[in-house]
Amino acid sequence: MTITQVDADIFRNLGIIAEDENMLGKVAKYLRRVVKQMTYDPTCMTKEEFFARIEKAEQQYARGEYTTQLPGETVEDMLKRCGYAV
């Protein structure tokens, strides 16, 4: 099925649904949910959240709560040294 055929099918079905206001509302609600799922990114944060994380990290650094990678050490080795199960 080509994109043109899919578009035509969608518009034909929407034409039928548009005659029933309740059904049209349900379809609109469903489409909003689908779009939200497609655009939701759990790694996104607001500008305020981003700067709050930086500030927290700077405070931890000032208190000496940080780890450095030793010369010749891989990131995996450093994580294991810090107690992470890698």
Side-chain angles (χ1 to χ4, degrees):
M1 194 175 231
T2 67
I3 192 71
T4 307
Q5 291 170 325
V6 172
D7 283 349
D9 188 41
I10 290 171
F11 286 121
R12 185 173 34 260
N13 289 327
L14 279 176
I16 295 167
I17 291 170
E19 295 174 10
D20 183 346
E21 195 171 321
N22 286 333
M23 189 57 70
L24 191 59
K26 289 178 182 181
V27 170
K29 184 177 177 181
Y30 173 74
L31 287 173
R32 280 192 296 273
R33 190 170 56 233
V34 169
V35 169
K36 186 175 180 180
Q37 289 173 352
M38 289 178 63
T39 58
Y40 175 70
D41 184 356
T43 62
C44 286
M45 62 182 87
T46 65
K47 188 176 181 179
E48 291 78 20
E49 290 171 329
F50 175 76
F51 286 114
R53 287 185 70 172
I54 290 177
E55 185 176 326
K56 181 181 174 187
E58 287 173 340
Q59 292 169 355
Q60 289 174 324
Y61 181 80
R63 292 191 304 263
E65 299 171 358
Y66 63 92
T67 302
T68 57
Q69 190 172 350
L70 301 175
E73 183 179 41
T74 66
V75 173
E76 187 175 304
D77 292 337
M78 181 187 73
L79 290 172
K80 286 178 183 176
R81 180 171 49 88
C82 293
Y84 292 95
V86 180

